[in-house]
Amino acid sequence: LQAWGVDGHNSHTNVCSSGARLGYTTWIGADRPSPDHANARFILMLSAHLETGHYFNPHAQRIIEGKMAGAKIAVIDTRLSNTAARADYWLSSWPGSESAILLAMANVMLQEDLYDRAFMERWVNWEEYLRSEHPGTELTFDQFIRAIKAHYHSYTPEFAERESGVQASLIVDVAREAARAGSALATHVWRNAASGNEGGWQVSRCLQFLNVLTGSVGTKGGTSPNSWDKFAAAPYIRPAPQTVWNEMVWPKEYPLTHHEMSILLPHFLKEGRGRVDTYFTRVYNPIWTNPDGASWLEVLQNEAHVGLHAALTPVWSETAWFADYVLPMGNAAERHDIMSQETQAGSWIGFRQPVLRVMREKMGQPVEFTYEANPGEVWEEDEFWIELSWRIDPDGSLGVRQYFESPYRPGEKVTVDEYYQWMFENSVPGLPEAAAAENLNPLQYMRKYGAFEVARDTYQLHEKPLDAAQLDGAEVDPETHLIHKDGHVIGVETGGDAVAGFGTPSRKLEFFSPTLKAWHWPEYAMPAYIKSHVHRDHIDHAKSEYVLLPTFRLPTLIHTRSGNAKWLNEISHTNPLWVHPQDAERIGLHTDELAKVQTEIGYFIVRAWITEAIRPGIVACSHHLGRWRLAKDTGGDRWSTALADLQQVADGQWKLRQVEGIKPFASDDPDSERVWWQDAGVHQNLTFPVHPDPISGMHCWHQKVSVHKAGAEDRYGDVFVDTNLSFRVYQEWLKKTRPAPGPDGLRRPLWIPRPVKPALEAYRIPST
């Protein structure tokens, strides 16, 4: 994108994790945590995600290692998830009340003096807090403690019990257990409450507060910034940042959103903010995955909104059905790729390879493009973008081609081997030496082993001292203690030591966020409890109103990506509505009977499952099922998709009805004729309007719904939605924002990360 000069990155992150990311970023300067579960004494988690996610799967092993070594586990989750079932403490909270619980725990630690004074005095930006919020008071740590004890005094366990339904005594027990763990408290939230609620980004702020109070940041058994444990290898060349700012994905209304506002693109198009000439969906299925998928369907079919749509995807999808071009991209075994995630207190890099290409080459049958070895015309994505860029700029006159030329053969097209060869030779510390010890070059080493450990025991990196060369010519600001050199901050002085610090503007842990205050949200500059849009005050059970939790998935499936996995779909192929027995009796529902779930903009028909694994007043439906196709033999994997009829019944009104479920079918795989299950689940996301959090931009997934027994005319899997209503909901939520500009006329704080970051001049809003 930067080689093309385009500001057009448009991912799924603001339906995934941008809430938690913003909360962590404002504390530690990194956008997610890296808990050292295996060495923890106490593990506190807000989600089932660690045992059901994709790249978080290794955490499940580390959690059990910690438990076997004596660690206790607490899980805050409305549902009795698989993780909660293995926990010592299960706190089943009312959705959106999690920050109240966490602040009550913090209050217990403060009032009972269970905090790590030495760590906090050294690493919290308490002086900045006192100057801003208590001007004129004495700048001492004792004054800071007095001030925050008073600030959080009202967050009692009893208050949290009233908000959450979790017993006050249980909250106190968990708080004290966490405090006793001290520096070995491992915590985690990723989606869950941070992605479900308005104000959910404060959940990660409040959870990280417990790590700060206990001094368990960057410690063995504690919780580190993910940037310490996720290794990013640099490529051989980086294009200059683009000089444009795309307000269709980074609008002024959301200056603090952690990722682009992709869910709002259809509404921006409909209200005339612009037009998309060419749109790529890359391993992205917005019609199915996003809320309000019918609005996506409308704009993708209207050339006045989207001129050309190319879907890059390894599998058929609902979105690909409405694309002008479907470009099949390789799965993990059909492409080169590098991978690194924060799975433990250490960093590593993995290397995927296209199996059939490697096999051909070993047999002495080289190919030019990987698709020549893959089945069908399945491209390797690296090769696709290189080739497309050369076709766009064949003679180099546009300045694009230079970024796709070989580092070894000037002026020639880079090969994928050369791309990774340079990276492994120059960007992975220790790899060249490890390869040489086996008489291999780094690329050969990675082809042989597939992974390399870059570092282990990555603790206390914030305490890394600055050496004499770094400090030569540097100056220390007497008020902020920041160390400046050549116009840049290189570290911080704390306790008389010159050290690297964290990735925040203060280089400390920012209990007080001057960024939030300066960017129009002063009331939330400290960890706070924001009442959710599904707070219990908004729910009237007398009107059969409930809170719907659609944010979880089963441990056997991965988003919509596992639809082509026949064995996984045999295990899990239905997403019933979880209903507590008390609510089922009120509604008149029994297990397997059809329920009608009415949202703000439509409804869906689903089977009920009556269970005590959910709180009364709450219903839940997992989000990775309900796939559909519009033709009998094409349009989706038949292990997982129902044949459906999609009709526009009026202007802006759409109805999806399942024609037939999953059936045995003839194919090259004899297992396809052994299919015994029929259920494909129900596509609930279509019926959700956009709920963008006004600060983080995260779509707030939890829904206020009404639940009734289905009528005689309703059929399993029916979905109805009105996009006229969804546009009105979008307008209502847009009014909650406090738009840019911020300080100095900026669109966004310069220090908060941004994918495909543009040049600094693009950050300034032009004066009118």
Side-chain angles (χ1 to χ4, degrees), residues 585-658:
E585 184 176 358
R586 181 187 300 114
I587 301 167
L589 273 177
H590 298 89
T591 292
D592 286 337
E593 289 186 330
L594 295 184
K596 188 170 191 174
V597 182
Q598 186 88 38
T599 70
E600 291 172 279
I601 65 170
Y603 65 81
F604 62 95
I605 308 298
V606 65
R607 292 190 185 94
W609 181 48
I610 314 307
T611 174
E612 292 187 358
I614 191 78
R615 286 187 63 89
I618 317 295
V619 295
C621 187
S622 61
H623 80 266
H624 41 40
L625 289 154
R627 302 296 304 278
W628 45 271
R629 67 187 191 280
L630 298 179
K632 190 172 182 64
D633 298 322
T634 59
D637 289 287
R638 293 176 65 181
W639 312 107
S640 62
T641 59
L643 179 63
D645 178 52
L646 179 64
Q647 296 289 334
Q648 186 171 10
V649 296
D651 181 39
Q653 294 185 353
W654 297 84
K655 186 166 186 179
L656 183 75
R657 169 157 282 187
Q658 295 188 9

Side-chain angles (χ1 to χ4, degrees), residues 52-81:
T52 63
H54 36 102
Y55 60 74
F56 288 128
N57 279 143
H59 280 174
Q61 174 189 342
R62 309 292 186 217
I63 291 166
I64 296 304
E65 288 173 3
K67 187 176 176 69
M68 292 174 66
K72 289 189 175 182
I73 299 174
V75 172
I76 303 176
D77 196 330
T78 304
R79 297 179 313 111
L80 181 61
S81 64

Side-chain angles (χ1 to χ4, degrees), residues 374-625:
N374 283 341
E377 194 177 343
V378 176
W379 273 75
E380 169 165 18
E381 196 172 346
D382 290 337
E383 292 175 347
F384 174 81
W385 294 116
I386 293 168
E387 194 67 20
L388 185 58
S389 297
W390 270 68
R391 301 289 180 91
I392 288 171
D393 188 18
D395 61 2
S397 60
L398 296 178
V400 172
R401 202 186 86 171
Q402 61 181 312
Y403 300 112
F404 301 90
E405 294 177 355
S406 168
Y408 302 102
R409 298 174 295 112
E412 298 295 317
K413 188 188 304 178
V414 65
T415 66
V416 173
D417 273 2
E418 289 174 333
Y419 181 86
Y420 290 108
Q421 177 185 344
W422 191 97
M423 183 180 290
F424 296 149
E425 288 175 350
N426 297 278
S427 296
V428 184
L431 176 55
E433 293 78 9
E438 299 197 21
N439 295 316
L440 301 171
N441 66 42
L443 180 62
Q444 291 170 334
Y445 182 97
M446 292 301 289
R447 287 206 180 282
K448 179 177 180 179
Y449 292 108
F452 179 73
E453 184 182 47
V454 179
R456 63 175 61 186
D457 296 333
T458 47
Y459 304 117
Q460 304 288 339
L461 298 190
H462 57 297
E463 292 279 10
K464 183 180 180 180
L466 302 181
D467 59 33
Q470 291 173 300
L471 292 172
D472 184 30
E475 296 180 352
V476 180
D477 186 297
E479 182 174 288
T480 66
H481 313 294
L482 291 171
I483 302 172
H484 297 262
K485 184 176 181 180
D486 300 328
H488 300 285
V489 175
I490 62 171
V492 65
E493 188 177 78
T494 181
D497 302 317
V499 292
F502 294 94
T504 57
S506 67
R507 290 297 177 105
K508 292 194 173 185
L509 296 165
E510 296 200 342
F511 163 79
F512 166 71
S513 172
T515 300
L516 285 163
K517 182 173 182 178
W519 286 80
H520 318 311
W521 297 98
E523 66 268 42
Y524 300 139
M526 285 83 74
Y529 170 45
I530 301 173
K531 288 189 175 182
S532 172
H533 65 299
V534 293
H535 188 273
R536 61 173 68 245
D537 290 348
H538 305 320
I539 307 299
D540 187 348
H541 290 311
K543 296 180 180 178
S544 202
E545 292 178 350
Y546 298 88
V547 178
L548 171 65
L549 270 64
T551 51
F552 72 99
R553 60 179 181 262
L554 305 177
T556 45
L557 296 175
I558 306 169
H559 288 315
T560 63
R561 301 172 191 170
S562 51
N564 60 325
K566 60 185 179 182
W567 294 309
L568 297 183
N569 283 277
E570 181 174 15
I571 295 169
S572 304
H573 42 259
T574 186
N575 58 338
L577 187 74
W578 296 32
V579 184
H580 191 274
Q582 292 177 15
D583 297 323
E585 184 176 358
R586 181 187 300 114
I587 301 167
L589 273 177
H590 298 89
T591 292
D592 286 337
E593 289 186 330
L594 295 184
K596 188 170 191 174
V597 182
Q598 186 88 38
T599 70
E600 291 172 279
I601 65 170
Y603 65 81
F604 62 95
I605 308 298
V606 65
R607 292 190 185 94
W609 181 48
I610 314 307
T611 174
E612 292 187 358
I614 191 78
R615 286 187 63 89
I618 317 295
V619 295
C621 187
S622 61
H623 80 266
H624 41 40
L625 289 154

